[in-house]
Amino acid sequence: MQQSLFKNKEEISLESVFRAYYDCRKNKRNNLDALEYELDFEKDVIRLWEEINNGTYSISPLDVFVVDKPVKREIFAAKFRDRIIHHLVIGKLNYLFEDEFIYDSYSCREGKGTHFGVERMKKFLRSCSENYQKDCYILKLDVKGYFMSINKGILLEKLVDLINENYRDNDKKKIIRLCKKIIMNDPTKNCVIKSPKRKWRGLPKSKSLFFAKENCGLPVGNYTNQIFANFYLNPMDHYIKHDLKIRYYGRYVDDFFIMSKNKEELKKLIPEIGNFLEKNLKLTIHPKKIYLQHYHKGVEFLGFLVKPHRSYITSRTKNNFYKEVESINHRLKKLEPNDEKAILNIMSKVNSYLGMLRHCDSYKLRKKMIEGFSEDFWLFFKVDDNLMKIEKVCDL
């Protein structure tokens, strides 16, 4: 270990790299990539620290594959040691993002997220409609091919400006260098394709990095890119809240809504916001995903259909759960009682759906879904009286 090389105040500390490693492995310890890394993690974390500080760190080729749930998407997965870098960078910069973000930006923020966003929408709906007594209209928009349309140059420039103006630690230059390496990396170069080519059939070109414009596009799946994507639309948040002075506004990644008592006012906002996005961020509002309706009709947001006095999960989420029930029933036929990993995996999936369902009016739906499990299911699991959560049968 060449510690003598790094005895200046501008180095990134070894402690912070180890901290990023421990953050990275949380909830990933059964992942094959993580297990292989743990075999000799101390030596490689030190090696990674040296590479960061002497400038020799390079990003490994990413694995790329296509998933069908909850929607068809192209995923680029980084190697475990590169994910350590992602956690290092976000751990260093997260306080800057939190200072920048408006309250009603919900994505990838501690204490916020999908359920928080839905609850805020419900609160806004009650307030705007004066407890459902007056007219209120909802405008919902999203950005066309968002992740594939993010301009890397604009993102990097805004991020560097933020770091230079507000970052307080001495390792500023090295953090900027890592950000540049992550953002400007082209994941399509030397990537390892894990899905058969037929899996890309039906995936729009606007959702694939292989067809992105030059110097554009961030891969879906990287921790840093979830945060960077939220940060990229931060100027729009401030424009809508502070320049346009919109009271009822919220955003989760590129899915955002505005409420108003005046329908015509909302219509006028569509080109104004569109012009701002095109001029400042080189983005386009998706023309086929403009929703403007009276609140009585309800609005879909983050997997829920929100209506006055009640909310439901969307049909797509419901259908995914039914398919998951069928898949689990099939797996249970071959499940061994001592296969702890498979049992925990099934329990985690079911509880994830039940956790989502308990945030809306869904008792009958939960009951129907639970009843859909085969007899084999009850050899391994039990459910609480309110159908909120399943647990392992104790005498397995």
Side-chain angles (χ1 to χ4, degrees), residues 114-334:
T114 57
H115 301 311
F116 181 87
V118 171
E119 289 303 314
R120 288 289 287 178
M121 172 179 269
K122 291 177 184 177
K123 181 179 179 180
F124 287 161
L125 190 58
R126 287 192 297 272
S127 177
C128 185
S129 65
E130 298 183 34
N131 204 27
Y132 312 119
Q133 300 300 310
K134 299 292 180 66
D135 282 335
C136 168
Y137 297 88
I138 304 170
L139 172 65
K140 194 161 79 77
L141 306 168
D142 75 6
V143 177
K144 185 177 182 180
Y146 179 51
F147 270 84
M148 308 308 147
S149 301
I150 292 173
N151 185 287
K152 294 182 178 183
I154 294 174
L155 171 60
L156 184 61
E157 180 182 2
K158 290 184 179 299
L159 186 56
V160 170
D161 286 346
L162 177 70
I163 296 170
N164 279 330
E165 290 173 12
N166 301 288
Y167 190 72
R168 296 191 287 266
D169 292 342
N170 293 323
D171 55 12
K172 179 187 294 187
K173 291 181 180 179
K174 289 183 169 58
I175 292 298
I176 289 175
R177 185 168 64 193
L178 287 175
C179 289
K180 183 175 181 179
K181 193 175 288 289
I182 292 168
I183 291 170
M184 301 311 294
N185 178 58
D186 183 352
T188 65
K189 304 297 184 186
N190 302 316
C191 62
V192 181
I193 297 177
K194 294 290 189 176
S195 292
K197 289 185 178 180
R198 58 181 169 78
K199 292 286 286 184
W200 270 264
R201 293 174 193 161
L203 183 72
K205 290 184 178 180
S206 62
K207 294 184 179 295
S208 173
L209 275 178
F210 293 103
F211 298 96
K213 293 180 181 178
E214 186 178 358
N215 203 38
C216 289
L218 298 181
V220 176
N222 284 357
Y223 179 45
T224 46
N225 294 341
Q226 296 174 44
I227 311 295
F228 291 163
N230 200 21
F231 172 69
Y232 193 73
L233 277 177
N234 184 59
M236 181 188 74
D237 295 339
H238 288 274
Y239 171 70
I240 292 174
K241 289 292 291 182
H242 303 134
D243 294 358
L244 300 180
K245 301 188 184 305
I246 302 299
R247 180 179 178 185
Y248 302 115
Y249 167 77
R251 176 177 68 84
Y252 188 94
V253 194
D254 65 320
D255 191 6
F256 56 102
F257 68 86
I258 300 171
M259 297 181 194
S260 173
K261 299 177 187 297
N262 189 324
K263 187 176 183 179
E264 295 304 312
E265 178 183 283
L266 291 177
K267 286 182 179 178
K268 292 178 182 177
L269 287 176
I270 298 171
E272 289 187 53
I273 295 171
N275 290 336
F276 177 88
L277 287 173
E278 290 181 13
K279 180 180 178 181
N280 295 278
L281 300 173
K282 300 189 185 303
L283 297 173
T284 305
I285 289 176
H286 200 305
K288 294 182 180 179
K289 294 185 178 180
I290 298 174
Y291 177 91
L292 177 56
Q293 292 289 351
H294 194 276
Y295 76 94
H296 274 131
K297 293 183 179 293
V299 60
E300 290 189 6
F301 188 56
L302 307 181
F304 291 86
L305 175 63
V306 178
K307 287 191 170 187
H309 303 290
R310 62 201 187 280
S311 61
Y312 310 97
I313 62 166
T314 60
S315 296
R316 187 175 72 187
T317 306
K318 188 189 303 182
N319 291 335
N320 284 339
F321 198 176
Y322 282 131
K323 290 177 182 177
E324 195 66 60
V325 170
E326 291 179 9
S327 174
I328 288 171
N329 284 340
H330 180 73
R331 289 177 63 188
L332 286 168
K333 293 178 182 178
K334 304 177 181 179

Side-chain angles (χ1 to χ4, degrees), residues 1-105:
M1 179 170 56
Q2 302 172 5
Q3 294 192 42
S4 60
L5 293 175
F6 314 126
K7 289 185 177 179
N8 63 78
K9 293 182 179 179
E10 294 184 356
E11 73 172 33
I12 291 175
S13 71
L14 180 59
E15 178 187 4
S16 63
V17 182
F18 267 103
R19 191 183 307 120
Y21 160 72
Y22 289 116
D23 287 342
C24 185
R25 78 174 190 176
K26 287 178 183 176
N27 303 319
K28 297 289 185 182
R29 301 200 70 174
N30 290 326
N31 180 286
L32 182 59
D33 192 22
L35 289 172
E36 290 177 350
Y37 192 85
E38 282 200 13
L39 294 175
D40 200 13
F41 79 91
E42 288 185 343
K43 184 181 293 185
D44 195 70
V45 168
I46 293 171
R47 186 184 302 118
L48 190 58
W49 168 68
E50 292 176 341
E51 292 174 7
I52 292 167
N53 283 296
N54 64 27
T56 61
Y57 165 71
S58 62
I59 298 173
S60 305
L62 282 75
D63 294 337
V64 58
F65 51 92
V66 174
V67 298
D68 296 309
K69 296 178 183 179
V71 293
K72 200 175 187 71
R73 290 191 305 174
E74 176 185 83
I75 303 292
F76 281 83
K79 296 292 186 288
F80 188 84
R81 78 187 315 257
D82 295 317
R83 296 204 298 271
I84 295 173
I85 299 296
H86 300 166
H87 281 265
L88 172 69
V89 168
I90 298 304
K92 291 279 188 177
L93 299 181
N94 206 44
Y95 73 94
L96 300 184
F97 295 132
E98 284 300 314
D99 287 344
E100 281 290 303
F101 291 152
I102 65 169
Y103 187 79
D104 283 288
S105 168

